[in-house]
């Protein structure tokens, strides 16, 4: 019998296209055999995967429930309505749009809703923990809009709120954006709200990384403070690879028009159904417990790595991720990523604040706890994982056949056998 992790018609796929079928099998084996510490990844439930692999993928449904440009949308309307209502309830939001295909698509829609080409946005610089779509020159956001960037304090490595205030008053941006991809600490949403009101700006939060912790009531929510909140559904939230937006009622029509027809055409109804399933999962007490454990695990992992000389920036974390400076142990981020991967540990190189190295080399690594927490691991296991990471990146050489890589892989195997991903 096939499992839902391969899809309901895996046998037919295997007969028609054994090469792609093989990729599905080997990817599941990869997940099961290693430690997944990418902060922006997680493991969707069988229920979410089942919705993704459904016949809803066939339906073209431009528009919104009850207002489609195609016939035959009665059933997909039910799925999208459920997703919208569950999203609003989960985040106590006035309005939700569940159609964005990704976090970048959601962000593009926010730009489209509130800005014209050439307008100014104040956002966190990518090298300091921001995101590519927050005004980086190689992104549409940096090509179309005037991005003014704030950073972190050199000593604390936390957001430099004094700089944010100074830049906001100097440049009077159309939009002020909080959030990023490598921010370990909580963000002061009330400060940003008050500042946006003072300079007459829209306050936008990109909560892609931490929205799952908000859903689990483990950290404060940006929704009461922000005009608009964009996010992905596949990180801590543990849903399908996609995006969504919540906003205040006064911006509802503007956001909906920016998603469709401005930025997207037909929505992916199978993905929207999977989001509905995910939002229902996130409203359970079990998920709230999970979100709290994600933070506990991230804190322990950061502390334990720090004890090995792998310094956590900002001194630790309040969320699901920590960013670590490797300069003290004489290893680059690129070397650490390669050596860890050779030993069955998946993490990513990452720039640290004021990094002297190039981005493709980097002086740091970013580690996240969502996936291993999904597997059931706790703080004791985080101590073991820190030991394994330290051994792999300080004694290995990136060759999977190196004795140290084999030694670490044996430790990884022991963990994943006790805490399997997608148990057979």
């Amino acid at each position: 019998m096939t499992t839902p992790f391969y899809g309901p018609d895996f046998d037919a796929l295997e007969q028609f296209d054994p090469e792609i079928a093989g990729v599905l099998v080997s990817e599941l084996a990869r997940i099961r055999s290693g430690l997944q510490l990418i902060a922006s990844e997680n493991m969707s439930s069988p229920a979410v995967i089942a919705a993704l692999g459904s016949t809803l993928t066939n339906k073209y449904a431009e528009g919104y429930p009850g207002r489609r440009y195609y016939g035959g949308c009665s059933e997909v309307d039910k799925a999208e309505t459920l997703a919208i209502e569950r999203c609003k309830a989960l985040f106590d939001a006035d309005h939700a749009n569940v159609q964005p295909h990704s976090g970048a698509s959601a962000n593009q829609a926010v730009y489209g809703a509130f800005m014209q080409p050439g307008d100014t946005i104040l956002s966190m610089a990518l090298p300091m923990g921001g995101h590519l779509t927050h005004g980086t020159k190689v992104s549409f956001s940096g090509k179309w809009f005037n991005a003014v960037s704030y950073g972190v304090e050199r000593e604390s490595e936390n957001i430099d709120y004094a700089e944010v205030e100074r830049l906001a008053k100097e440049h009077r941006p159309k939009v002020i954006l909080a959030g990023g991809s490598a921010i370990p600490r909580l963000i002061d949403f009330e400060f940003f709200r008050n500042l946006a009101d003072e300079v007459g700006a829209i306050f936008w939060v990109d909560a892609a990384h931490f929205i799952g912790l908000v859903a689990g009531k483990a950290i404060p929510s940006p929704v009461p403070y922000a005009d608009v909140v964009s996010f992905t559904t596949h990180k801590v939230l543990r849903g399908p690879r996609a995006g969504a937006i919540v906003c205040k009622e006064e911006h509802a029509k503007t956001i909906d028009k920016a998603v469709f027809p401005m930025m997207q055409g037909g929505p992916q109804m199978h993905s929207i159904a999977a989001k509905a399933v995910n939002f229902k999962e996130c409203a359970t007490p079990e998920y709230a417990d999970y979100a709290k454990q994600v933070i506990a695990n991230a804190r322990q992992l950061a502390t334990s790595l720090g004890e090995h000389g792998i310094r956590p920036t900002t001194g630790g974390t309040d969320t699901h991720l920590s960013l670590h400076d490797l300069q003290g142990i004489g290893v680059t981020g690129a070397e650490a990523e390669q050596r860890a991967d050779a030993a069955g540990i998946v993490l990513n190189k990452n720039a640290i604040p004021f990094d002297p190295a190039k981005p493709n080399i980097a002086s740091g690594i970013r580690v996240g706890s969502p996936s291993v927490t999904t597997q059931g691991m706790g703080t004791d296991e985080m101590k073991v994982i820190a030991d394994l990471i330290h051994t792999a990146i300080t004694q290995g050489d990136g060759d999977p056949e190196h004795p140290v890589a084999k030694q670490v892989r044996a430790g990884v195997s022991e963990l994943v056998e006790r805490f399997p991903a997608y148990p057979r």
Side-chain angles (χ1 to χ4, degrees):
M1 175 181 284
T2 58
T3 72
F5 315 117
Y6 294 140
D9 294 310
F10 180 73
D11 292 340
L13 173 64
E14 191 171 35
Q15 290 180 17
F16 176 73
D17 194 336
E19 292 170 298
I20 289 297
V23 172
L24 269 62
V25 173
S26 59
E27 171 62 5
L28 183 57
R30 184 194 68 81
I31 293 171
R32 283 174 167 164
S33 64
L35 293 172
Q36 314 305 319
L37 299 176
I38 302 293
S40 51
E41 292 181 356
N42 210 331
M43 298 177 185
S44 298
S45 71
V48 167
I49 293 173
L52 281 171
S54 70
T55 55
L56 294 183
T57 193
N58 298 331
K59 191 71 195 88
Y60 212 85
E62 280 188 350
Y64 292 99
R67 297 177 288 123
R68 305 289 190 183
Y69 289 83
Y70 288 79
C73 292
S74 58
E75 300 310 306
V76 295
D77 276 4
K78 295 175 185 177
E80 185 164 351
T81 299
L82 281 170
I84 291 169
E85 294 306 317
R86 289 173 182 176
C87 185
K88 288 165 58 179
L90 185 63
F91 299 112
D92 195 21
D94 294 343
H95 180 73
N97 189 302
V98 297
Q99 291 196 6
H101 301 330
S102 66
S105 296
N107 288 356
Q108 191 174 38
V110 176
Y111 281 103
F114 299 112
M115 300 181 70
Q116 295 293 325
D119 282 348
T120 298
I121 182 168
L122 177 61
S123 55
M124 195 169 197
L126 178 63
M128 298 294 179
H131 188 260
L132 192 68
T133 58
H134 295 177
T136 308
K137 292 300 181 184
V138 296
S139 161
F140 76 90
S141 56
K143 292 179 181 295
W144 297 349
F145 305 101
N146 176 40
V148 176
S149 300
Y150 59 86
V152 302
E153 296 174 338
R154 188 173 287 274
E155 186 173 342
S156 71
E157 298 173 304
N158 208 344
I159 294 172
D160 188 338
Y161 289 98
E163 181 185 37
V164 176
E165 182 174 7
R166 177 179 61 79
L167 291 172
K169 292 179 178 179
E170 177 184 347
H171 295 276
R172 297 281 166 171
K174 189 76 170 289
V175 173
I176 297 177
L177 170 56
S181 59
I183 304 174
R185 297 299 187 177
L186 298 179
I187 297 170
D188 187 345
F189 301 125
E190 185 175 8
F191 165 85
F192 277 100
R193 174 73 271 166
N194 291 337
L195 181 61
D197 288 342
E198 185 176 351
V199 301
I202 290 290
F203 176 33
W204 168 22
V205 175
D206 183 347
H209 259 276
F210 58 82
I211 194 67
L213 302 176
V214 174
K217 307 296 189 290
I219 64 171
S221 172
V223 174
Y225 300 97
D227 291 290
V228 59
V229 178
S230 60
F231 58 93
T232 55
T233 53
H234 54 267
K235 297 184 176 77
V236 183
L237 208 58
R238 207 161 57 182
R241 295 197 64 84
I245 301 170
V246 294
C247 66
K248 296 189 181 302
E249 185 60 41
E250 64 192 273
H251 304 307
K253 291 182 179 179
T254 303
I255 285 293
D256 283 354
K257 289 179 180 178
V259 174
F260 171 84
M262 185 176 186
M263 297 298 179
Q264 293 185 177
Q268 299 177 351
M269 298 313 304
H270 58 302
S271 181
I272 289 174
K275 293 176 201 181
V277 173
N278 174 232
F279 296 146
K280 185 174 182 179
E281 291 174 339
C282 292
T284 64
E286 292 79 11
Y287 182 83
D289 291 340
Y290 164 76
K292 292 179 178 64
Q293 189 63 51
V294 165
I295 296 175
N297 283 353
R299 284 175 169 164
Q300 183 60 64
L301 185 54
T303 297
S304 296
L305 286 170
E307 291 170 352
H308 283 296
I310 305 172
R311 184 184 72 85
T313 65
T314 76
T317 181
D318 300 319
T319 62
H320 62 298
L321 66 82
S322 56
L323 185 62
H324 292 264
D325 180 358
L326 301 173
Q327 294 177 96
I329 60 171
V331 177
T332 69
E335 289 170 337
E337 180 182 302
Q338 183 181 19
R339 294 173 186 181
D341 192 68
I345 302 171
V346 184
L347 46 76
N348 66 277
K349 61 181 175 293
N350 209 102
I352 59 172
F354 310 105
D355 200 328
K358 295 180 179 179
N360 61 340
I361 301 296
S363 298
I365 54 172
R366 186 185 66 165
V367 295
S369 61
S371 292
V372 290
T373 307
T374 293
Q375 291 175 247
M377 298 185 202
T379 53
D380 287 343
E381 287 71 41
M382 297 307 108
K383 298 174 185 177
V384 175
I385 291 173
D387 292 343
L388 294 172
I389 291 172
H390 176 256
T391 300
I393 68 177
T394 59
Q395 300 178 38
D397 65 358
D399 181 358
E401 298 305 313
H402 190 282
V404 169
K406 290 182 177 181
Q407 172 194 333
V408 173
R409 275 206 309 278
V412 169
S413 296
E414 192 276 331
L415 277 176
V416 298
E417 285 171 9
R418 286 197 293 126
F419 300 95
Y422 298 116
R424 292 175 174 80

Coordinates of all heavy atoms in Angstrom, one line a residue, residues 20-73:
I20 N 10.9 10.3 -11.8 CA 10.3 11.2 -10.8 C 9.9 10.4 -9.6 O 10.0 10.9 -8.5 CB 9.2 12.0 -11.5 CG1 9.8 13.0 -12.5 CG2 8.4 12.7 -10.4 CD1 10.7 14.1 -11.9
A21 N 9.3 9.3 -9.8 CA 8.9 8.4 -8.7 C 10.1 8.2 -7.8 O 10.0 8.2 -6.5 CB 8.3 7.1 -9.1
G22 N 11.2 7.9 -8.4 CA 12.5 7.7 -7.6 C 12.9 8.9 -6.8 O 13.4 8.8 -5.7
V23 N 12.7 10.1 -7.4 CA 13.0 11.4 -6.6 C 12.1 11.5 -5.4 O 12.6 11.8 -4.3 CB 12.8 12.6 -7.5 CG1 12.9 13.9 -6.7 CG2 13.8 12.6 -8.7
L24 N 10.8 11.2 -5.5 CA 9.9 11.2 -4.4 C 10.4 10.3 -3.3 O 10.4 10.6 -2.1 CB 8.5 10.9 -4.8 CG 7.6 12.0 -5.2 CD1 8.1 12.7 -6.4 CD2 6.2 11.5 -5.5
V25 N 10.8 9.1 -3.7 CA 11.2 8.1 -2.7 C 12.5 8.5 -2.0 O 12.7 8.4 -0.8 CB 11.4 6.7 -3.4 CG1 12.0 5.7 -2.4 CG2 10.0 6.2 -3.8
S26 N 13.5 9.0 -2.8 CA 14.8 9.3 -2.3 C 14.7 10.6 -1.4 O 15.4 10.7 -0.5 CB 15.8 9.5 -3.4 OG 15.4 10.5 -4.3
E27 N 13.8 11.5 -1.8 CA 13.6 12.7 -0.9 C 13.1 12.4 0.4 O 13.5 12.9 1.5 CB 12.7 13.8 -1.6 CG 12.3 14.9 -0.8 CD 13.5 15.8 -0.3 OE1 14.6 15.6 -0.7 OE2 13.2 16.7 0.5
L28 N 12.1 11.5 0.5 CA 11.6 11.0 1.7 C 12.7 10.3 2.6 O 12.8 10.5 3.8 CB 10.4 10.1 1.5 CG 9.7 9.6 2.8 CD1 9.2 10.7 3.7 CD2 8.5 8.6 2.4
A29 N 13.5 9.5 1.9 CA 14.6 8.9 2.6 C 15.6 9.9 3.1 O 16.1 9.7 4.2 CB 15.3 7.9 1.6
R30 N 15.8 11.0 2.3 CA 16.8 12.0 2.8 C 16.2 12.7 4.1 O 17.0 12.9 5.0 CB 16.9 13.1 1.7 CG 18.0 14.2 2.0 CD 17.9 15.3 1.1 NE 16.6 16.1 1.3 CZ 16.4 17.0 2.2 NH1 17.4 17.3 3.1 NH2 15.3 17.6 2.3
I31 N 15.0 13.0 4.0 CA 14.3 13.6 5.2 C 14.4 12.7 6.4 O 14.8 13.2 7.5 CB 12.9 14.0 4.9 CG1 12.8 15.1 3.9 CG2 12.2 14.5 6.2 CD1 11.4 15.4 3.4
R32 N 14.2 11.5 6.2 CA 14.1 10.5 7.3 C 15.5 10.2 7.9 O 15.6 9.8 9.0 CB 13.5 9.2 6.9 CG 12.0 9.3 6.8 CD 11.4 8.0 6.2 NE 9.9 7.9 6.4 CZ 9.1 7.1 5.7 NH1 9.6 6.3 4.8 NH2 7.8 7.1 5.9
S33 N 16.5 10.4 7.1 CA 17.9 9.9 7.5 C 18.7 11.0 8.1 O 19.8 10.7 8.6 CB 18.6 9.3 6.3 OG 18.8 10.3 5.3
G34 N 18.3 12.3 8.0 CA 19.1 13.4 8.5 C 18.4 14.3 9.5 O 17.2 14.1 9.8
L35 N 19.1 15.3 10.0 CA 18.6 16.3 10.8 C 18.3 17.6 10.0 O 19.2 18.1 9.4 CB 19.5 16.7 12.0 CG 19.7 15.6 13.0 CD1 20.9 16.0 14.0 CD2 18.5 15.3 13.8
Q36 N 17.1 18.0 9.9 CA 16.7 19.2 9.1 C 16.6 20.4 10.0 O 15.7 20.6 10.8 CB 15.3 18.9 8.5 CG 15.2 17.5 7.8 CD 16.3 17.2 6.8 OE1 16.7 18.1 6.0 NE2 16.7 16.0 6.8
L37 N 17.6 21.3 9.9 CA 17.7 22.5 10.8 C 17.6 23.8 10.0 O 17.9 24.8 10.5 CB 19.0 22.4 11.5 CG 19.2 21.2 12.4 CD1 20.6 21.3 13.1 CD2 18.2 21.2 13.6
I38 N 17.0 23.7 8.8 CA 16.8 24.9 8.0 C 15.6 25.7 8.7 O 14.5 25.1 8.8 CB 16.4 24.6 6.5 CG1 17.6 23.9 5.9 CG2 16.1 25.9 5.8 CD1 18.8 24.7 5.7
A39 N 15.8 26.9 9.1 CA 14.8 27.6 9.9 C 13.5 27.9 9.1 O 12.4 28.1 9.7 CB 15.4 28.9 10.4
S40 N 13.6 27.9 7.8 CA 12.4 28.2 6.9 C 11.8 27.0 6.4 O 10.9 27.1 5.5 CB 12.9 29.1 5.8 OG 14.0 28.5 5.1
E41 N 12.1 25.8 7.0 CA 11.5 24.6 6.5 C 10.7 23.9 7.7 O 11.0 24.1 8.9 CB 12.5 23.6 6.0 CG 13.1 24.0 4.7 CD 14.1 23.1 4.1 OE1 14.4 22.0 4.8 OE2 14.7 23.3 3.0
N42 N 9.8 23.0 7.3 CA 9.1 22.2 8.3 C 8.6 20.9 7.6 O 8.9 20.7 6.4 CB 8.0 23.0 9.0 CG 7.7 22.5 10.4 OD1 8.0 21.4 10.8 ND2 7.3 23.5 11.2
M43 N 7.8 20.1 8.3 CA 7.3 18.9 7.8 C 5.7 19.0 7.8 O 5.1 18.8 8.9 CB 7.8 17.7 8.5 CG 9.3 17.6 8.4 SD 9.9 16.2 9.4 CE 11.7 16.4 9.2
S44 N 5.1 19.2 6.7 CA 3.6 19.2 6.6 C 3.0 17.9 7.0 O 3.6 16.8 6.8 CB 3.2 19.6 5.2 OG 3.7 20.9 4.9
S45 N 1.8 18.0 7.6 CA 1.2 16.7 8.0 C 0.6 15.9 6.8 O 0.5 16.5 5.7 CB 0.0 17.1 8.9 OG -1.1 17.7 8.1
P46 N 0.4 14.7 7.0 CA -0.3 13.9 6.0 C -1.6 14.5 5.5 O -1.9 14.4 4.3 CB -0.5 12.5 6.6 CG 0.6 12.4 7.7 CD 0.7 13.8 8.2
A47 N -2.3 15.1 6.4 CA -3.6 15.7 5.9 C -3.4 16.9 5.0 O -4.1 17.0 4.0 CB -4.4 16.2 7.2
V48 N -2.4 17.7 5.3 CA -2.0 18.8 4.4 C -1.5 18.3 3.0 O -1.9 18.8 2.0 CB -0.9 19.7 5.0 CG1 -0.3 20.7 4.0 CG2 -1.5 20.5 6.2
I49 N -0.7 17.3 3.1 CA -0.2 16.7 1.8 C -1.3 16.1 1.0 O -1.3 16.1 -0.2 CB 0.9 15.7 2.1 CG1 2.2 16.4 2.7 CG2 1.4 14.9 0.9 CD1 3.2 15.5 3.3
A50 N -2.3 15.5 1.7 CA -3.4 14.9 0.9 C -4.2 15.9 0.2 O -4.6 15.7 -1.0 CB -4.3 14.1 1.9
A51 N -4.4 17.1 0.8 CA -5.1 18.2 0.2 C -4.3 18.7 -1.0 O -4.9 19.0 -2.1 CB -5.4 19.3 1.1
L52 N -3.0 18.8 -0.9 CA -2.2 19.3 -2.0 C -2.2 18.3 -3.2 O -2.2 18.8 -4.3 CB -0.7 19.4 -1.5 CG -0.4 20.6 -0.7 CD1 1.0 20.5 -0.1 CD2 -0.5 21.9 -1.6
G53 N -2.4 17.0 -2.9 CA -2.4 16.1 -4.0 C -3.7 15.7 -4.5 O -4.0 14.6 -4.9
S54 N -4.7 16.6 -4.4 CA -6.1 16.4 -4.7 C -6.5 16.9 -6.1 O -5.8 17.6 -6.7 CB -7.0 17.0 -3.6 OG -6.9 18.4 -3.8
T55 N -7.7 16.5 -6.5 CA -8.2 17.0 -7.8 C -8.6 18.5 -7.8 O -8.9 19.0 -8.8 CB -9.5 16.2 -8.1 OG1 -10.5 16.3 -7.0 CG2 -9.2 14.8 -8.4
L56 N -8.5 19.1 -6.6 CA -8.7 20.6 -6.6 C -7.6 21.3 -7.5 O -7.8 22.5 -7.9 CB -8.6 21.1 -5.2 CG -9.7 20.7 -4.3 CD1 -9.6 21.3 -2.9 CD2 -11.1 21.0 -4.8
T57 N -6.5 20.6 -7.7 CA -5.5 21.3 -8.6 C -6.0 21.5 -10.0 O -5.4 22.3 -10.7 CB -4.2 20.3 -8.6 OG1 -3.1 21.1 -9.2 CG2 -4.5 19.1 -9.5
N58 N -7.1 20.8 -10.4 CA -7.6 21.0 -11.8 C -8.4 22.2 -12.0 O -8.6 22.7 -13.1 CB -8.5 19.8 -12.1 CG -7.8 18.5 -12.0 OD1 -6.6 18.4 -12.3 ND2 -8.5 17.4 -11.7
K59 N -8.9 22.8 -10.9 CA -9.9 23.9 -11.1 C -9.3 25.3 -11.3 O -8.5 25.7 -10.5 CB -10.9 23.9 -9.9 CG -12.1 24.8 -10.1 CD -13.0 24.1 -11.1 CE -14.1 25.1 -11.6 NZ -13.6 25.9 -12.8
Y60 N -9.8 25.9 -12.3 CA -9.4 27.3 -12.6 C -10.5 28.2 -11.9 O -11.6 28.0 -12.2 CB -9.3 27.6 -14.0 CG -8.2 28.6 -14.3 CD1 -6.9 28.3 -14.5 CD2 -8.6 30.0 -14.5 CE1 -5.9 29.2 -14.7 CE2 -7.6 30.9 -14.7 CZ -6.3 30.6 -14.8 OH -5.3 31.5 -15.1
A61 N -10.1 29.1 -11.1 CA -11.0 29.9 -10.3 C -10.7 31.3 -10.1 O -10.6 31.8 -8.9 CB -11.2 29.2 -8.9
E62 N -10.4 32.0 -11.2 CA -10.0 33.5 -11.0 C -11.2 34.2 -10.3 O -12.3 34.0 -10.6 CB -9.8 34.1 -12.4 CG -8.5 33.8 -13.0 CD -8.3 34.6 -14.3 OE1 -9.3 35.2 -14.8 OE2 -7.2 34.7 -14.8
G63 N -10.7 35.1 -9.4 CA -11.7 35.8 -8.6 C -11.7 35.3 -7.2 O -10.8 34.7 -6.7
Y64 N -12.8 35.6 -6.5 CA -13.0 35.2 -5.1 C -14.3 34.5 -4.9 O -15.2 34.5 -5.8 CB -12.9 36.5 -4.2 CG -11.5 37.1 -4.2 CD1 -11.2 38.2 -5.0 CD2 -10.5 36.6 -3.4 CE1 -10.0 38.8 -5.1 CE2 -9.2 37.1 -3.4 CZ -9.0 38.2 -4.3 OH -7.7 38.7 -4.3
P65 N -14.5 33.8 -3.8 CA -15.7 33.0 -3.5 C -17.0 33.8 -3.8 O -17.1 34.9 -3.3 CB -15.6 32.6 -2.1 CG -14.1 32.5 -1.8 CD -13.5 33.6 -2.6
G66 N -17.8 33.3 -4.7 CA -19.1 34.0 -5.0 C -18.9 35.0 -6.1 O -19.9 35.6 -6.6
R67 N -17.6 35.3 -6.5 CA -17.3 36.3 -7.5 C -16.3 35.8 -8.5 O -15.2 36.4 -8.7 CB -16.9 37.6 -6.9 CG -17.9 38.2 -6.0 CD -17.4 39.5 -5.3 NE -16.5 39.2 -4.2 CZ -15.2 39.6 -4.1 NH1 -14.8 40.4 -5.1 NH2 -14.5 39.3 -3.1
R68 N -16.5 34.6 -9.1 CA -15.5 34.0 -10.0 C -15.8 34.4 -11.4 O -16.9 34.8 -11.8 CB -15.6 32.5 -9.8 CG -15.5 31.9 -8.4 CD -14.1 32.0 -7.9 NE -13.9 31.3 -6.6 CZ -12.8 31.3 -5.9 NH1 -11.7 31.9 -6.3 NH2 -12.8 30.6 -4.8
Y69 N -14.7 34.2 -12.2 CA -14.8 34.5 -13.7 C -15.0 33.2 -14.4 O -15.0 33.2 -15.7 CB -13.6 35.2 -14.1 CG -13.6 36.7 -13.6 CD1 -13.1 37.0 -12.4 CD2 -14.0 37.7 -14.4 CE1 -13.1 38.3 -11.9 CE2 -14.0 39.0 -14.0 CZ -13.5 39.3 -12.7 OH -13.5 40.6 -12.2
Y70 N -15.2 32.1 -13.7 CA -15.4 30.8 -14.3 C -16.5 30.1 -13.6 O -16.8 30.3 -12.5 CB -14.1 29.9 -14.2 CG -13.0 30.3 -15.1 CD1 -12.2 31.4 -14.7 CD2 -12.7 29.6 -16.3 CE1 -11.1 31.8 -15.5 CE2 -11.6 30.0 -17.1 CZ -10.8 31.1 -16.7 OH -9.8 31.4 -17.5
G71 N -17.2 29.2 -14.4 CA -18.2 28.4 -13.8 C -17.6 27.2 -13.1 O -16.4 26.9 -13.1
G72 N -18.5 26.4 -12.4 CA -18.1 25.2 -11.7 C -17.2 25.4 -10.5 O -16.4 24.5 -10.1
C73 N -17.4 26.5 -9.8 CA -16.5 26.8 -8.6 C -17.2 26.6 -7.3 O -16.7 27.1 -6.3 CB -16.0 28.3 -8.7 SG -14.9 28.6 -10.1

